Amino acid sequence: MKIDFHTHAFPDKIADRAIASLSEKGGISPYADGKVNKLLQIMDEDGVDISVVLNIATKPEQETNVNNFAISLLENPRLVPFGSVYPVSETSLSEVERLYKAGIKGIKFHPEYQWFDVMDERVFPTYEKCGELGMIVTFHAGGDVGFKAPFHSDPERLNRLCELFPKTTFVFAHMGGYDMWDEGADIYKHHENMYLDTSIINTVSIINNDSAKRLIDNVGIDHILFGSDMPWARASHSKAKLEVLGLSEDELEKIYYKNAKKLLNI
């Protein structure tokens, strides 16, 4: 079994436009068209049973439509949609409540596209609210091919978040910081509320095996989640990297699905 904790999809009517824009900004080619049916097809091809679909509101006025789409994905038992709130919008807390009541299990932040620092105290009430409701908060972590440094979600700040909000569960994408893996391996410590996902670690920039092993050791095998970043990378890419790290079959099973099943309560 495999649970992909990091995928993206868009409503059919905007998928082509969204993928073209993101591809141009990042200078990378997608592996799919961004539509839900294509995601499901590639899940079948790569042996993925369930995917977490991460949505993102890049403007306050997008919150409602983005989250309505997320809620609509609850109809498919193979998809676990996460919603999104714009960090400093006036409706962020009420949107978190709406998502929770609809059955959404978490929200996604992207500090570059949403242009905020993860340690901005104006966002703290949202972190706290998610913790109170038992909702997961997942972050894009580290660099991003579509933006220039300095970035807003480096390992030092993300590690600190886990200390400041021990009742909130955080998932940091791209093994805790895209293209910041050596730094992350020196900084990240084990926190019960911290998880890293394996998305896009074997595509444009490839994590070295030593940093990957140190990150897994520091955070703990029970806190690593399998992820791809579909449509920007496939589950097969992350699988290829994981299977050269010398992990045991039991450890791989935890990463592939057991940790996610427990975290998502499925």
Side-chain angles (χ1 to χ4, degrees):
M1 183 179 189
K2 290 186 179 64
I3 297 176
D4 188 336
F5 216 92
H6 192 131
T7 72
H8 304 281
F10 304 91
D12 285 359
K13 64 181 180 181
I14 69 165
D16 291 340
R17 185 168 70 253
I19 289 294
S21 175
L22 292 167
S23 181
E24 180 180 5
K25 184 172 183 60
I28 55 175
S29 299
Y31 289 86
D33 60 10
K35 297 176 182 177
V36 173
N37 284 343
K38 189 65 174 180
L39 170 61
L40 292 166
Q41 176 189 324
I42 293 183
M43 286 168 60
D44 289 337
E45 293 174 4
D46 284 358
V48 173
D49 300 274
I50 296 171
S51 284
V52 174
V53 182
L54 303 175
N55 295 282
I56 185 71
T58 59
K59 301 175 182 178
E61 58 267 27
Q62 291 179 347
E63 280 185 345
T64 300
N65 287 338
V66 165
N67 290 329
N68 285 346
F69 174 66
I71 291 167
S72 76
L73 296 180
L74 289 168
E75 298 175 1
N76 192 313
R78 297 186 65 191
L79 303 178
V80 179
F82 277 24
S84 182
V85 297
Y86 195 77
V88 295
S89 78
E90 295 179 356
T91 57
S92 59
L93 294 180
S94 61
E95 271 298 286
V96 169
E97 289 272 7
R98 181 169 80 95
L99 289 165
Y100 171 74
K101 290 176 181 177
I104 297 292
K105 296 178 182 288
I107 64 169
K108 165 74 181 291
F109 285 119
H110 195 306
E112 305 312 321
Y113 278 98
Q114 295 178 310
W115 196 249
F116 78 103
D117 189 302
V118 299
M119 293 298 292
D120 187 333
E121 293 186 3
R122 293 176 297 172
V123 196
F124 285 7
T126 304
Y127 302 156
E128 291 173 344
K129 172 62 71 173
C130 288
E132 292 170 4
L133 297 175
M135 295 178 72
I136 300 163
V137 177
T138 185
F139 279 99
H140 168 87
D144 186 289
V145 294
F147 295 83
K148 295 181 180 180
F151 298 107
H152 300 90
S153 54
D154 58 273
E156 184 173 359
R157 280 179 280 191
L158 293 175
N159 190 70
R160 180 62 177 150
L161 273 188
C162 293
E163 298 170 346
L164 290 174
F165 301 96
K167 295 182 180 180
T168 303
T169 298
F170 294 100
V171 176
F172 302 141
H174 317 308
M175 284 300 279
Y178 182 79
D179 249 358
M180 296 183 182
W181 297 305
D182 292 343
E183 177 184 346
D186 289 336
I187 289 173
Y188 281 124
K189 307 299 180 186
H190 173 78
H191 299 282
E192 280 301 313
N193 61 332
M194 176 196 290
Y195 292 79
L196 309 184
D197 81 35
T198 69
S199 58
I200 210 165
I201 61 172
N202 202 32
T203 49
V204 179
S205 184
I206 301 174
I207 188 172
N208 68 70
N209 292 354
D210 177 67
S211 292
K213 290 175 182 175
R214 287 202 293 144
L215 282 163
I216 292 170
D217 287 343
N218 290 353
V219 176
I221 193 68
D222 294 331
H223 290 251
I224 306 297
L225 305 166
F226 184 66
S228 66
D229 208 0
M230 185 69 196
W232 309 111
R234 293 181 62 142
S236 55
H237 298 145
S238 290
K239 180 175 181 289
K241 169 55 72 172
L242 287 168
E243 294 193 348
V244 299
L245 296 181
L247 300 170
S248 69
E249 190 64 31
D250 179 62
E251 289 173 324
L252 286 171
E253 286 184 353
K254 287 183 176 183
I255 294 173
Y256 285 144
Y257 71 94
K258 288 183 176 178
N259 295 340
K261 282 189 71 173
K262 183 177 180 180
L263 183 58
L264 294 170
N265 193 29
I266 57 176

